[in-house]
Amino acid sequence: VDGMLIGLSYAASPSAGWAMAIATCIEMGFLGLSFTASLQNATRTAWKIITVACIPPLVLLLSGLGGNSLGYMFSESPGTFVAFISFAIVALLFLVTQELLTEAQSVANGSAVINALFFVGLLCGILLEAYIG
């Protein structure tokens, strides 16, 4: 969903696409670190870790290319384009609110620092969009 939203955003506005791509890269960097740590606990074979760790970035890249293609393909049909972007945004918001924030709260035990960092990250995203766009 992230890649599709990046591609669609870029088709709508290159600056929005870049902002989404940069924010997603930051997010995926941290997720990649935790994912590879989990992989190291599951197996010690280096080639398995590298192979499995390369799958999410490839899927992100391919879905970004697909979203961009869809965006340009449906740019003549604003209703369809808005439907695709709406789906991607709602799916991403659902994932963040239902999965990631719930998990962060359970791991942090309601820490005020975690709550504050969430809003700092949100502010950084807004400032990034203002700087690029």
Side-chain angles (χ1 to χ4, degrees):
V1 173
D2 289 346
M4 187 172 101
L5 185 57
I6 291 170
L8 287 168
S9 298
Y10 190 83
S13 165
S15 64
W18 277 108
M20 284 294 303
I22 292 168
T24 303
C25 284
I26 294 168
E27 173 201 6
M28 290 298 161
F30 289 110
L31 287 176
L33 288 173
S34 63
F35 182 60
T36 53
S38 298
L39 288 175
Q40 286 179 335
N41 289 335
T43 182
R44 294 289 178 199
T45 310
W47 69 271
K48 285 182 184 179
I49 294 171
I50 292 169
T51 303
V52 174
C54 286
I55 292 172
L58 288 175
V59 170
L60 183 69
L61 176 67
L62 292 175
S63 63
L65 292 172
N68 193 12
S69 297
L70 281 173
Y72 284 119
M73 202 168 36
F74 292 119
S75 63
E76 301 297 321
S77 174
T80 308
F81 182 74
V82 168
F84 273 107
I85 266 197
S86 299
F87 168 77
I89 290 171
V90 168
L92 188 62
L93 285 174
F94 177 79
L95 174 68
V96 168
T97 57
Q98 291 297 319
E99 299 293 328
L100 298 177
L101 289 179
T102 306
E103 181 69 22
Q105 286 297 319
S106 68
V107 169
N109 295 324
S111 169
V113 174
I114 298 297
N115 290 334
L117 287 176
F118 170 74
F119 290 107
V120 168
L122 183 63
L123 177 63
C124 288
I126 292 169
L127 293 175
L128 177 67
E129 174 63 30
Y131 177 73
I132 290 178

